[in-house]
Amino acid sequence: MNENIEVIELEEVTFMYKGVSNIGRNEDSPVWFYLAKLTQESFVRLWQRCDSMEQFQMSYQALGGGNCLLESEEAEPVPEESVSKILFTAGILRKRGIPLKSWGVTEDTKSDYWDSLSQLAEEEAL
């Protein structure tokens, strides 16, 4: 974590989902997994208050967004979220007309990109 970057906090954070699950194959050998995703409203509020992808990623994780393995069901999670997942969510929001800040990040939101995915989906459905 870069100590020179200010972590942005939100007064009201809401989650689409947030929880701990046992993803182990056997009940006697649990593998605990934490997973949390901010709602689109919290995502947008946080995005607009940040000045860089690194700041957004650090703030998102500090708010509890992301995923991680846990030692036990009660362990304190230290979630991580990938930049590609963050950009995917931002791309969907932009595609729906939400005017998010840019920060000069390369975005896969060009209409050619989305058109090619639409075409691929139609071809695969045949």
Side-chain angles (χ1 to χ4, degrees), residues 15-27:
F15 293 87
M16 292 178 82
Y17 49 82
K18 180 179 181 180
V20 175
S21 298
N22 177 5
I23 59 171
R25 290 182 175 234
N26 302 319
E27 195 172 307

Side-chain angles (χ1 to χ4, degrees), residues 47-48 93-94 96-102:
W47 185 279
Q48 297 301 85
L93 292 169
R94 284 192 178 105
R96 297 190 183 234
I98 310 300
L100 296 175
K101 283 181 173 179
S102 182

Side-chain angles (χ1 to χ4, degrees), residues 12-121:
E12 294 181 34
V13 180
T14 54
F15 293 87
M16 292 178 82
Y17 49 82
K18 180 179 181 180
V20 175
S21 298
N22 177 5
I23 59 171
R25 290 182 175 234
N26 302 319
E27 195 172 307
D28 60 342
S29 60
V31 177
W32 298 104
F33 188 73
Y34 171 85
L35 180 63
K37 181 173 182 169
L38 297 181
T39 60
Q40 292 174 349
E41 292 81 5
S42 289
F43 186 98
V44 169
R45 285 198 322 267
L46 181 61
W47 185 279
Q48 297 301 85
R49 293 178 186 170
C50 291
D51 295 321
S52 69
M53 175 56 73
E54 188 176 17
Q55 183 181 34
F56 179 86
Q57 184 180 29
M58 288 176 53
S59 300
Y60 188 92
Q61 293 168 173
L63 291 171
N67 61 71
C68 62
L69 290 174
L70 300 172
E71 294 291 323
S72 69
E73 185 175 14
E74 296 81 25
E76 187 68 30
V78 181
E80 295 183 6
E81 187 64 287
S82 70
V83 171
S84 60
K85 286 182 183 178
I86 293 168
L87 287 176
F88 181 79
T89 301
I92 289 172
L93 292 169
R94 284 192 178 105
K95 179 75 173 165
R96 297 190 183 234
I98 310 300
L100 296 175
K101 283 181 173 179
S102 182
W103 310 322
V105 177
T106 302
E107 302 158 8
D108 289 332
T109 57
K110 307 283 188 274
S111 62
D112 290 346
Y113 172 79
W114 292 105
D115 291 344
S116 68
L117 285 181
S118 295
Q119 182 180 355
L120 175 63

